[in-house]
Amino acid sequence: MSTSQSTLSATLPTDATAGPQYQRLAGLSWLHFLNDGSANYLPGILPAVLIALHQDVALAGGLMSALLVGQALQVFTGWFADHLGGRLFIVVGMLGTSFAAAMIGLAPSMWVLIPALIVIGISSALFHPQAVAGARALSGDRRGFGMSLFLVGGELGRGIWPLIASLVVVYWGLHYLWLLALPALFSAAFLWRQLPIQKPRHAEAKPIVWREHMGPMSTLVGFSLLRALTIYGVVTFLPILWHERGYDLTQGAELITVLLVVGIIGNIGGGHLSDRIGRRAVLLGSSLFGALLLAAFLLSSGAWQMVILGLLGIALFASIPLGVLIGQDIFPENRSLGSGIAMGLSNGLAAVALAALGFVQAAQGVDYVLWLLVGAITLAGFVSLALPVGPRKAAG
């Protein structure tokens, strides 16, 4: 393929009817793996970090909030990504996330750790909108399935890297976490030419009709906020619960790995099912099933807990690709912005709520917080009934 043909292929419109470009989707999904792995391995080593810095466990929610709140900037980075086009945000964001995460193990105090966590969130906010828009373009006529494949990379990263990080800490120490940034450096150079190039939004493009989009956008943010709060809450507080019960660091990290890696089935299955039975059934069913499974986990013991935790991951992650597609459909004039609202704004708001849960945990205990999350994901199911589930035409 010539250079001009390659560029044309890279800038296919997001509604292209061609088949998915699986090889390039795989490369983009790998970068998603590296970005989200670096951005989310803190929960797996959080007890060790708190001990090393002589901090109380009550700060767990606050540290996770500092890590995640920067994702709210995806609303703005998505807007800039659509106006500037290109692919630079993908690489800069992924590298920034990876190298800022290396500072977690090198930080001598909270005054260094918290800014590093904020930079991780900002860098991740740079990566996602342009990457998500690129994944849609590369998905062709299999948007639900293609988006699921892209998101699988992120879920694998979020699931595997906490365990890897915990093993690094146990065997070598916190200071060696910088090793986890090296794959990002080599991958950025190797995959640069394969990344999708987003067309810049031209000056004559149709303006965003905010008044028309405000209602559906608010509903989507509400649903995604409740789902994200449930996921972040489970990922944050389960390792702390295990630590309080006398288990070691790697055993707490294993819980996250089971939840998120098995949850990949939900990512792929949710997108696949939505292409066949519709989005609303998947959104409602996954939320209510998730509430039942989280309650069952809290009431069970022994080996059954791991089985239930894996099923919980499937339920919680089944709706994620659908939320992204709904955000893009709400904003057909600016799909990176739609992605940023669906993922970033909701995740940022969930991070603020997570900090509040940290205070609740300190006062009432971890079990109490996890039961609150059962209520949150149940409410998400009812909110999903008000979501638009079909593409919207651009106004004008």
Side-chain angles (χ1 to χ4, degrees):
M1 180 181 290
S2 67
T3 302
S4 60
Q5 288 174 317
S6 177
T7 301
L8 178 60
S9 174
T11 55
L12 281 171
T14 55
D15 287 329
T17 57
Q21 300 181 47
Y22 288 117
Q23 182 176 349
R24 296 175 68 193
L25 265 173
L28 192 59
S29 185
W30 168 250
L31 296 187
H32 198 192
F33 170 85
L34 295 175
N35 182 86
D36 283 23
S38 296
N40 292 280
Y41 65 64
L42 176 64
I45 59 170
L46 190 52
V49 171
L50 291 170
I51 291 171
L53 297 180
H54 309 290
Q55 299 296 325
D56 190 83
V57 70
L59 284 176
L63 289 179
M64 286 298 294
S65 180
L67 176 68
L68 299 168
V69 72
Q71 293 194 38
L73 293 175
Q74 285 189 44
V75 176
F76 303 102
T77 58
W79 184 88
F80 279 116
D82 274 339
H83 280 74
L84 297 178
R87 54 193 167 187
L88 186 62
F89 280 16
I90 297 175
V91 172
V92 170
M94 188 266 298
L95 289 175
T97 300
S98 300
F99 285 97
M103 289 300 300
I104 293 175
L106 301 174
S109 67
M110 295 289 285
W111 294 104
V112 177
L113 177 62
I114 290 178
L117 297 181
I118 293 172
V119 171
I120 291 172
I122 294 172
S123 299
S124 189
L126 285 172
F127 170 85
H128 277 100
Q130 206 169 67
V132 170
R136 181 176 180 131
L138 297 177
S139 298
D141 57 356
R142 297 292 308 278
R143 287 178 295 185
F145 184 62
M147 188 63 69
S148 294
L149 291 179
F150 166 74
L151 291 173
V152 159
E155 301 312 328
L156 272 174
R158 291 202 288 179
I160 294 174
W161 281 56
L163 180 58
I164 295 175
S166 70
L167 291 172
V168 170
V169 172
V170 168
Y171 289 104
W172 295 328
L174 282 167
H175 284 69
Y176 281 88
L177 287 174
W178 63 268
L179 291 170
L180 300 183
L182 295 181
L185 183 63
F186 294 108
S187 297
F190 183 73
L191 292 174
W192 170 258
R193 294 178 63 85
Q194 295 297 314
L195 296 178
I197 302 172
Q198 185 177 350
K199 288 183 178 179
R201 179 179 169 86
H202 57 80
E204 297 179 359
K206 294 176 181 178
I208 299 173
V209 187
W210 288 101
R211 180 178 301 177
E212 178 183 340
H213 302 328
M214 193 59 66
M217 181 192 75
S218 300
T219 304
L220 177 61
V221 168
F223 171 81
S224 300
L225 162 63
L226 291 167
R227 181 193 59 208
L229 178 61
T230 303
I231 293 172
Y232 291 152
V234 171
V235 167
T236 299
F237 293 109
L238 274 188
I240 294 174
L241 178 65
W242 245 233
H243 183 71
E244 289 180 352
R245 292 179 178 178
Y247 296 96
D248 63 30
L249 193 67
T250 56
Q251 289 174 305
E254 285 172 0
L255 296 176
I256 303 174
T257 298
V258 170
L259 177 76
L260 300 184
V261 173
V262 179
I264 290 169
I265 299 172
N267 249 325
I268 297 177
H272 182 73
L273 280 175
S274 72
D275 288 337
R276 284 160 174 75
I277 67 173
R279 297 174 182 173
R280 180 160 289 138
V282 177
L283 292 167
L284 177 62
S286 64
S287 300
L288 297 184
F289 192 43
L292 289 174
L293 287 166
L294 182 52
F297 176 85
L298 295 173
L299 295 172
S300 63
S301 61
W304 277 109
Q305 286 189 304
M306 285 297 184
V307 176
I308 295 171
L309 197 61
L311 294 174
L312 175 62
I314 294 173
L316 292 179
F317 290 105
S319 64
I320 290 181
L322 310 187
V324 173
L325 290 172
I326 290 171
Q328 292 177 339
D329 288 339
I330 290 173
F331 290 91
E333 318 95 336
N334 195 321
R335 282 182 169 146
S336 288
L337 174 64
S339 303
I341 289 173
M343 297 177 69
L345 179 60
S346 303
N347 290 350
L349 292 174
V352 175
L354 186 64
L357 285 182
F359 292 105
V360 175
Q361 180 265 328
Q364 301 291 335
V366 180
D367 289 275
Y368 185 85
V369 170
L370 292 172
W371 278 108
L372 288 180
L373 297 177
V374 173
I377 194 61
T378 302
L379 181 58
F382 292 106
V383 173
S384 73
L385 296 174
L387 284 170
V389 292
R392 296 160 62 88
K393 295 181 180 180

